[in-house]
């Protein structure tokens, strides 16, 4: 082949055996590629890099460089630095002898490409960075076997754990650390092949506290959480292997007069008392095993009990029981306390408590037997007049009180329950429940949340794993009337979070 220049047209032609070649084919021998690094979850581009000589004649693919190797690791901010990660299969063990040898090295970005279609104008590629789950550290401080304070910190990989400033420890003048009880447990959401590991004892306590604390026996009140974290991080920075890891650290303090044996003999339980108005429940009675305690009889508005207290036995299995019965007498009007409010009784519960209580619009009330409980506010009463609800201004229901209803009606789109003769409550201001008692056990998770009667999360209290709790009613809370067990006056645990014993 040869080139020929035409002076008249000032053009250059390619000849093959003296014949002009009209079509020229180019082949990519080598070249650069412009790579865009983008957050997959937001689409935000954080960096771009021209990779020199990304294409070579002998290769059919190319590999991009890691942001860390480009000294751009600070741009990751909680993302995996890889081109393509199969997050569902990170648990697979490539080498059984080295189960923790997990690599995030990139596979080639383009394994096969058409050299005829790639040129200097379109050699552009995108690396999408996967969002990683953060790591979580929880510190639980116990005093005399009960939770004293909690501290939690969450941080993304490739970030620095913030300094903790609101730590709380028992007063060292009245309580001492029992570092033999210090322990931790760790679990991994991305790398379950690493197992759930635990460490405990004095040696473990010295490892995470004393060594990094210049030999001090106990954590100080300032920065003590960070003292423990320094053992697991380098300069408080979260490495990618900590992605999705959850770690709980527990330390125990004991008062000078604390006796673990005595503490184990003290129980708290609910006491059920038989009466002519049904089973009455007294919540959270406390005493020592083998003792007999006096329990105050519940007061029911409009009724007077035949005794003020009953004797109850604290049993070795942690239950508290009584053989005594109580009889309630109706207080007549001339005794100064006549009341139209229904007592807390225990007839047969609603035979179908999970059915929808919201009837279709109907000017006539429907019969429906059941119970409702008030919540943290006083509840307004209404009377039905000519198909409309009119506010009763001189009467309302008390906080955390219990009522039997026998009818329900829908007026102007709202549901009402009848709790007395022509006295109705708005269904949104109460919750339905059925009378039932029993024992439930929490499942195998560290912390089971509780809610109040208004279905709001209780942030300062929860139940431990595999702990048993006595309940006295099944409640239907919130707009969707989800099923809960009541384990204290205003503490409820979700039906799906426990196992009924």
């Amino acid at each position: 082949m040869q080139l020929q220049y035409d002076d008249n047209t000032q053009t250059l032609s390619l000849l093959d055996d003296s014949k002009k070649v009209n079509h020229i084919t180019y082949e990519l021998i080598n070249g650069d590629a412009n790579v865009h690094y983008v957050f997959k979850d937001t689409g935000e581009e954080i960096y771009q890099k021209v990779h020199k000589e990304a294409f070579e004649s002998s290769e059919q693919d190319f590999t991009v460089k890691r942001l860390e190797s480009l000294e751009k690791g600070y741009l990751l901010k909680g993302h995996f630095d890889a081109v393509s990660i199969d997050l569902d299969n990170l648990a697979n063990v490539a080498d059984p002898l080295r189960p923790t040898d997990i690599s995030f090295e990139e596979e080639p970005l383009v394994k096969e490409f058409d050299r005829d279609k790639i040129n200097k104008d379109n050699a552009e590629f995108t690396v999408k960075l996967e969002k990683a789950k953060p790591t979580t550290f929880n510190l639980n401080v116990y005093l005399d076997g009960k939770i004293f304070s909690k501290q939690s910190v969450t941080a993304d990989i490739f970030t620095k754990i913030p300094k903790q400033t609101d730590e709380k420890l028992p007063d060292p003048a009245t309580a001492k650390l029992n570092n033999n009880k210090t322990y931790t447990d760790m679990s991994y959401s991305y790398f379950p092949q690493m197992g759930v590991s635990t460490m405990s004892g004095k040696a473990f306590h010295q490892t995470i506290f004393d060594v990094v604390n210049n030999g001090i026996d106990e954590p100080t009140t300032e920065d003590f959480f960070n003292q423990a974290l320094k053992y697991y991080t380098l300069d408080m920075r979260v490495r990618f292997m900590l992605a999705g890891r959850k770690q709980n650290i527990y330390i125990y303090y004991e008062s000078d007069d604390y006796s673990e044996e005595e503490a184990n003999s003290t129980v708290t339980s609910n006491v059920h008392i038989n009466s002519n108005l049904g089973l009455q429940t007294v919540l959270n009675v406390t005493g020592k095993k083998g003792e007999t305690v006096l329990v105050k009889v519940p007061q029911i508005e409009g009724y007077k009990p035949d005794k003020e207290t009953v004797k109850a036995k604290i049993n070795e299995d942690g239950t508290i029981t009584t053989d005594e019965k109580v009889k309630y007498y109706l207080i007549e009007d001339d005794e100064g306390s006549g009341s139209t409010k229904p007592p807390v009784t225990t007839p047969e519960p609603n035979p179908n408590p999970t059915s929808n209580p919201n009837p279709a619009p109907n000017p006539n009330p429907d019969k429906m037997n059941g119970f409702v409980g008030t919540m943290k506010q006083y509840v307004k009463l209404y009377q039905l007049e000519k198909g409309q609800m009119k506010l009763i201004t001189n009467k309302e229901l008390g906080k955390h009180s219990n009522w039997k209803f026998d009818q329900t009606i829908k007026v102007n789109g709202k549901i009402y329950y009848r709790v007395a003769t022509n006295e109705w409550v708005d269904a949104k201001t109460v919750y339905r429940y059925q009378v039932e008692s029993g024992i439930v056990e929490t499942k195998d998770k560290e912390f089971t949340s509780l809610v109040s009667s208004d279905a709001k999360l209780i942030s300062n209290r929860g139940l431990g794993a595999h702990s048993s709790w006595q309940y006295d009613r099944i409640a239907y809370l919130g707009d969707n009337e989800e099923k809960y067990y009541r384990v204290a006056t205003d503490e409820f645990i979700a039906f799906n979070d426990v196992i009924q014993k």
Side-chain angles (χ1 to χ4, degrees):
M1 299 181 70
Q2 63 183 35
L3 290 173
Q4 177 178 296
Y5 181 73
D6 189 329
D7 289 330
N8 295 326
T9 61
Q10 295 184 345
T11 59
L12 185 67
S13 300
L14 180 66
L15 302 179
D16 184 9
D17 292 335
S18 301
K19 295 181 180 179
K20 184 178 180 179
V21 178
N22 295 320
H23 177 72
I24 300 176
T25 300
Y26 299 93
E27 180 180 357
L28 179 66
I29 303 300
N30 57 55
D32 304 334
N34 189 21
V35 178
H36 302 269
Y37 295 86
V38 175
F39 288 149
K40 182 178 180 180
D41 51 343
T42 65
E44 175 189 0
E45 179 176 314
I46 62 168
Y47 185 65
Q48 62 175 302
K49 169 72 175 178
V50 175
H51 291 258
K52 298 294 185 180
E53 298 182 357
F55 304 104
E56 296 182 6
S57 59
S58 61
E59 302 292 336
Q60 294 296 318
D61 52 37
F62 74 93
T63 302
V64 303
K65 293 184 178 180
R66 297 167 62 86
L67 282 177
E68 284 186 287
S69 67
L70 297 173
E71 298 183 353
K72 302 293 181 181
Y74 62 90
L75 293 173
L76 291 171
K77 298 178 183 178
H79 291 74
F80 285 124
D81 182 17
V83 175
S84 178
I85 301 176
D86 186 355
L87 296 178
D88 294 331
N89 288 316
L90 285 180
N92 292 339
V93 179
D95 183 354
L97 298 178
R98 303 174 66 186
T100 61
D101 186 14
I102 302 168
S103 174
F104 282 87
E105 294 296 333
E106 294 92 348
E107 293 295 326
L109 181 63
V110 179
K111 294 186 178 181
E112 299 289 340
F113 57 89
D114 188 341
R115 294 181 181 274
D116 293 335
K117 295 180 180 180
I118 294 181
N119 56 52
K120 65 182 181 63
D121 296 321
N122 66 10
E124 305 266 343
F125 298 95
T126 299
V127 173
K128 294 184 178 181
L129 304 178
E130 294 274 359
K131 178 68 176 177
K133 294 178 182 179
T135 184
T136 301
F137 293 94
N138 297 313
L139 180 65
N140 303 274
V141 181
Y142 285 82
L143 176 61
D144 295 343
K146 298 180 180 179
I147 191 70
F148 176 81
S149 66
K150 287 177 175 287
Q151 182 81 351
S152 182
V153 57
T154 299
D156 286 322
I157 58 174
F158 299 108
T159 64
K160 194 169 183 177
I161 297 176
K163 179 180 175 63
Q164 305 306 297
T165 58
D166 55 348
E167 300 97 333
K168 293 181 180 178
L169 287 175
D171 184 355
T174 59
K176 301 299 181 184
L177 173 70
N178 187 338
N179 53 18
N180 291 305
K181 290 185 177 180
T182 301
Y183 77 98
T184 187
D185 57 66
M186 289 174 283
S187 59
Y188 299 80
S189 59
Y190 287 116
F191 317 113
Q193 71 269 34
M194 297 178 70
V196 177
S197 59
T198 63
M199 295 181 68
S200 62
K202 187 172 183 178
F204 165 68
H205 177 90
Q206 291 175 325
T207 299
I208 65 171
F209 285 115
D210 303 354
V211 173
V212 296
N213 197 30
N214 298 320
I216 299 175
D217 289 336
E218 298 186 13
T220 59
T221 56
E222 180 182 357
D223 203 29
F224 75 89
F225 195 5
N226 294 70
Q227 294 175 33
L229 300 185
K230 286 179 181 177
Y231 176 75
Y232 297 101
T233 62
L234 178 62
D235 192 27
M236 300 302 287
R237 296 188 181 277
V238 183
R239 298 175 296 110
F240 78 89
M241 281 296 293
L242 294 182
R245 190 180 83 162
K246 180 179 180 181
Q247 179 171 358
N248 302 301
I249 302 174
Y250 307 85
I251 60 175
Y252 289 80
Y253 282 79
E254 295 169 357
S255 301
D256 293 339
D257 57 353
Y258 172 75
S259 168
E260 186 170 5
E261 181 179 352
E262 182 177 353
N264 291 336
S265 69
T266 301
V267 298
T268 298
S269 183
N270 299 335
V271 178
H272 303 290
I273 305 172
N274 287 314
S275 79
N276 60 320
L277 295 182
L279 195 66
Q280 307 299 316
T281 300
V282 180
L283 302 176
N284 299 326
V285 176
T286 299
K288 295 181 179 179
K289 295 177 181 179
E291 290 184 347
T292 297
V293 294
L294 291 178
V295 179
K296 288 185 177 181
V297 171
Q299 300 298 307
I300 298 176
E301 188 172 355
Y303 287 79
K304 183 177 181 179
D306 62 349
K307 58 186 71 174
E308 295 298 321
T309 61
V310 296
K311 293 180 179 179
K313 179 67 178 297
I314 303 178
N315 305 306
E316 289 297 324
D317 62 0
T319 60
I320 306 178
T321 56
T322 180
D323 295 328
E324 294 190 50
K325 295 182 179 180
V326 174
K327 186 172 183 179
Y328 288 93
Y329 295 94
L330 180 66
I331 300 175
E332 302 297 338
D333 289 339
D334 56 6
E335 296 183 50
S337 186
S339 174
T340 60
K341 295 181 179 179
V344 183
T345 59
T346 314
E348 288 298 318
N350 180 7
N352 189 17
T354 59
S355 64
N356 184 1
N358 302 342
N362 191 332
N364 298 315
D366 294 332
K367 291 183 177 180
M368 182 180 177
N369 295 321
F371 296 92
V372 293
T374 62
M375 295 178 275
K376 297 178 180 179
Q377 306 294 330
Y378 290 97
V379 174
K380 298 182 183 300
L381 289 166
Y382 299 85
Q383 59 185 19
L384 182 62
E385 291 185 359
K386 298 180 181 180
Q388 299 296 319
M389 285 297 178
K390 182 180 179 181
L391 178 65
I392 299 175
T393 59
N394 63 347
K395 186 184 295 186
E396 58 188 7
L397 305 184
K399 305 174 185 177
H400 300 302
S401 57
N402 308 303
W403 307 91
K404 180 182 178 182
F405 72 92
D406 60 357
Q407 291 183 4
T408 183
I409 193 172
K410 191 171 187 178
V411 178
N412 295 330
K414 290 185 177 182
I415 304 298
Y416 294 85
Y417 300 125
R418 191 176 83 160
V419 296
T421 304
N422 203 19
E423 292 184 3
W424 303 77
V425 294
D426 185 341
K428 293 292 186 181
T429 62
V430 295
Y431 68 91
R432 290 192 311 117
Y433 72 89
Q434 67 185 75
V435 179
E436 180 180 305
S437 61
I439 295 176
V440 291
E441 182 179 291
T442 56
K443 297 181 180 179
D444 187 17
K445 65 178 183 178
E446 175 211 350
F447 187 83
T448 299
S449 299
L450 294 164
V451 301
S452 53
S453 53
D454 55 4
K456 292 183 178 179
L457 180 67
I458 298 175
S459 60
N460 62 349
R461 177 166 158 75
L463 308 180
H466 297 300
S467 58
S468 297
W469 301 88
Q470 192 154 5
Y471 68 92
D472 64 350
R473 69 179 55 171
I474 296 177
Y476 302 90
L477 306 182
D479 293 338
N480 297 324
E481 290 202 321
E482 296 181 3
K483 190 174 181 180
Y484 286 81
Y485 294 101
R486 188 173 84 159
V487 295
T489 302
D490 194 32
E491 295 182 352
F492 300 79
I493 186 171
F495 174 81
N496 292 327
D497 285 346
V498 294
I499 301 170
Q500 193 172 25
K501 302 291 283 184

